[in-house]
Amino acid sequence: MAKTERIRAAVRFATRAHEGQLRKTGEPYIVHPLATQKILEEWNMDEDTQIAGLLHDVVEDTGYTLEEIEGEFGKDVAFLVNGVTKLGKARQNMRDLGEYLPATSDNLLKLLIATGQDIRVLIIKLADRLHNLRTLSALPPAKQQKIARESLEVFGPLADRLQMGRVRVEIEETSFKYLDLKRYEFLKDLTAKRLEQADKKLKNAQEGVGAALKKEGLKYTNDGRVKSIYSLHKKLAKYNQDVDRIYDLIALRYIVEDVTTCYLVLGIIHALFSPMDGRFKDYIATPKQNGYQSLHTTVITPDKQVVEFQIRTKEMHDYAERGLAASFYYNEQKLTSAYARGQVDKLPMNLLWIKELQEATAKLSGGEKVDTRKLKLNMFADKIFVYTPKGDIIDLPKGSMPLDFAYRLHSEVGAKCTGAKVNGKLVNLNTRLMQGDIVEILTAKNTKPNPGWLTKAFSRHARSKIFSQLKKGS
Ligand code: MN
């Protein structure tokens, strides 16, 4: 796609602004904003977003001001650049506050509050991060680790939320490689060996299905999908490191014309091979939370090979791989400011969660209490959000009690806990916290954890802290 005149003007502006600056790779700095814009263009983002991508580091790293950007490129671009700049700072604050947060904490809601609720700010940040990851080798090891960890914790889940499967996988694989190269290579080897073993048997299955589909006159394209290394790593942790229990290590994918054909293909596969019990999932009728659609089934072939099949339409496939970008392609519209700030109802179905999230964050940042239980999002289904007396938002697993909250603040706050107030009232330590509660922890110097606390803490984080404090006899 040819660049518009406004985008070319932004390229000139950014080039002037970053004149003389170098990246750690030794290249001129402008390479980075240009790459960010290119990624946003690939994602079908609107002109303002691409321009903000070009200018995203200008305010922070050069002598140019937000006012100058607004003068040249208008209010919307300035808003986005300001959002990205503020987001950097908000993340810093969260990290300071979050030093004691467990590594898995999903900070998306907090991030969106910090952006002024325009999802495009997060998308620019995602593009920015993707390019930084691609060029991570130029940074010193400590910085590499920090960026890789944050990418896995925040930006991978964000890409998943936006259903950008391909981007999520790239973020996860790159980050994981930096965090644990040995493990990454071990799992890569393991996958390759399995693939080699299964190859002939898979071919047999594929030929069998191909012949049957041809007989029925059904058109399809076909690809094999190997599970990403990082998803394998996560799944192995759940299955006691037993790779034989991972049935979807390799999957055969069938991409067909329409939904009816999906079910026809499924029928043919089930007629050829015996389906495994409880392994059929109809994500077409019931899409995943992020909108993902496909039929999944696992079968056992006559030569005793366990194979997962995934069947979907071309459109479903595009959504799964490109998510948000595909949405705008199919809907022939861009994520313009009105859409991005949730002012328009006509968002594609699979992006409606953006709107709900925006409404929730608007209320939260306006100091209103939000009943997240009423959100259809379900993205925080297993989580509650509670408040410190100062109004900081803390997310906890559902079922948490005051000690979980105390240990999340700081393990010393936990250890010295004598009681808790919820919404201003004294409560027992075995009280379950509810969505939106304001929680205050009372402490005393001479208090110590006692074994009974293990029944009054729900989260793994608090329980492991209590455990180790008891052992130390502190
Ligand atoms: Mn940047």
Side-chain angles (χ1 to χ4, degrees), residues 29 32 36 56-57 125 128 132:
Y29 195 85
H32 169 64
T36 306
H56 77 272
D57 282 326
K125 208 59 218 180
D128 169 42
N132 283 336

Side-chain angles (χ1 to χ4, degrees), residues 123-293:
I123 292 167
I124 296 167
K125 208 59 218 180
L126 192 61
D128 169 42
R129 177 54 56 101
L130 195 60
H131 183 244
N132 283 336
L133 275 176
R134 285 176 182 167
T135 52
L136 200 55
S137 62
L139 295 185
K143 203 112 196 249
Q144 287 176 349
Q145 297 281 313
K146 201 173 132 193
I147 291 176
R149 179 156 296 118
E150 194 194 39
S151 300
L152 266 191
E153 286 166 8
V154 179
F155 292 95
L158 175 61
D160 185 49
R161 237 350 112 185
L162 299 171
Q163 218 200 331
M164 302 170 94
R166 214 184 288 163
V167 174
R168 174 183 61 80
V169 168
E170 185 180 346
I171 289 175
E172 289 180 349
E173 300 299 81
T174 313
S175 306
F176 188 47
K177 216 184 291 177
Y178 279 99
L179 285 175
D180 196 344
L181 185 62
K182 264 199 188 137
R183 175 84 177 151
Y184 177 89
E185 283 181 338
F186 169 77
L187 291 177
K188 206 172 160 197
D189 263 17
L190 183 75
T191 306
K193 272 188 207 124
R194 291 269 154 165
L195 200 59
E196 213 176 291
Q197 286 167 9
D199 202 36
K200 199 163 161 280
K201 292 174 180 174
L202 282 176
K203 268 212 184 93
N204 289 343
Q206 213 168 346
E207 276 165 17
V209 175
L213 294 182
K214 213 172 160 195
K215 212 171 115 200
E216 299 294 327
L218 298 174
K219 275 195 212 127
Y220 67 95
T221 54
N222 194 211
D223 71 7
R225 186 284 266 136
V226 179
K227 203 173 186 58
S228 78
I229 303 295
Y230 183 64
S231 336
L232 177 61
H233 168 72
K234 277 199 301 191
K235 202 150 187 181
L236 278 171
K238 270 200 253 171
Y239 288 92
N240 220 355
Q241 303 302 325
D242 182 358
V243 73
D244 289 323
R245 288 171 64 197
I246 313 286
Y247 295 131
D248 62 347
L249 186 64
I250 304 151
L252 291 177
R253 210 175 254 162
Y254 286 78
I255 298 155
V256 299
E257 237 146 62
D258 52 33
V259 173
T260 315
T261 313
C262 290
Y263 289 99
L264 285 175
V265 172
L266 177 78
I268 287 167
I269 290 167
H270 281 181
L272 283 174
F273 312 118
S274 32
M276 276 175 82
D277 244 7
R279 298 281 314 178
F280 167 60
K281 295 200 188 79
D282 187 346
Y283 294 123
I284 292 181
T286 316
K288 284 192 184 179
Q289 280 174 28
N290 65 4
Y292 174 85
Q293 288 190 298

Side-chain angles (χ1 to χ4, degrees), residues 214-448:
K214 213 172 160 195
K215 212 171 115 200
E216 299 294 327
L218 298 174
K219 275 195 212 127
Y220 67 95
T221 54
N222 194 211
D223 71 7
R225 186 284 266 136
V226 179
K227 203 173 186 58
S228 78
I229 303 295
Y230 183 64
S231 336
L232 177 61
H233 168 72
K234 277 199 301 191
K235 202 150 187 181
L236 278 171
K238 270 200 253 171
Y239 288 92
N240 220 355
Q241 303 302 325
D242 182 358
V243 73
D244 289 323
R245 288 171 64 197
I246 313 286
Y247 295 131
D248 62 347
L249 186 64
I250 304 151
L252 291 177
R253 210 175 254 162
Y254 286 78
I255 298 155
V256 299
E257 237 146 62
D258 52 33
V259 173
T260 315
T261 313
C262 290
Y263 289 99
L264 285 175
V265 172
L266 177 78
I268 287 167
I269 290 167
H270 281 181
L272 283 174
F273 312 118
S274 32
M276 276 175 82
D277 244 7
R279 298 281 314 178
F280 167 60
K281 295 200 188 79
D282 187 346
Y283 294 123
I284 292 181
T286 316
K288 284 192 184 179
Q289 280 174 28
N290 65 4
Y292 174 85
Q293 288 190 298
S294 211
L295 299 175
H296 289 191
T297 186
T298 308
V299 303
I300 304 172
T301 66
D303 40 13
K304 297 283 171 272
Q305 180 68 34
V306 176
V307 187
E308 180 176 285
F309 285 90
Q310 300 180 351
I311 310 153
R312 52 176 76 156
T313 65
K314 170 98 180 55
E315 192 171 336
M316 291 173 193
H317 184 61
D318 266 9
Y319 273 114
E321 296 276 298
R322 305 191 323 125
L324 184 102
S327 289
F328 296 114
Y329 173 77
Y330 282 104
N331 288 277
E332 287 177 10
Q333 69 196 13
K334 299 273 184 201
L335 187 65
T336 57
S337 59
Y339 285 97
R341 292 179 205 161
Q343 291 153 355
V344 175
D345 286 318
K346 266 174 35 202
L347 275 179
M349 256 318 273
N350 62 340
L351 290 178
L352 277 179
W353 66 269
I354 292 179
K355 200 171 144 51
E356 293 187 31
L357 188 59
Q358 278 155 342
E359 282 164 4
T361 49
K363 287 183 186 161
L364 278 172
S365 53
E368 243 180 279
K369 261 212 226 173
V370 170
D371 189 352
T372 37
R373 279 170 303 185
K374 288 198 186 128
L375 288 178
K376 274 174 277 156
L377 295 170
N378 269 332
M379 59 189 298
F380 302 116
D382 51 350
K383 263 181 201 156
I384 54 168
F385 289 88
V386 297
Y387 298 86
T388 68
K390 279 191 196 151
D392 291 325
I393 307 169
I394 306 282
D395 60 311
L396 291 169
K398 207 179 240 175
S400 289
M401 294 173 273
L403 281 173
D404 297 298
F405 178 86
Y407 276 92
R408 265 294 283 279
L409 295 181
H410 196 295
S411 48
E412 278 310 295
V413 176
K416 304 283 174 226
C417 175
T418 55
K421 280 185 185 175
V422 171
N423 304 324
K425 276 194 211 128
L426 271 173
V427 297
N428 288 327
L429 285 182
N430 60 6
T431 305
R432 274 185 64 151
L433 299 177
M434 304 300 278
Q435 197 70 260
D437 279 345
I438 300 168
V439 187
E440 187 181 346
I441 298 298
L442 311 173
T443 57
K445 244 206 210 133
N446 299 323
T447 306
K448 278 182 195 170

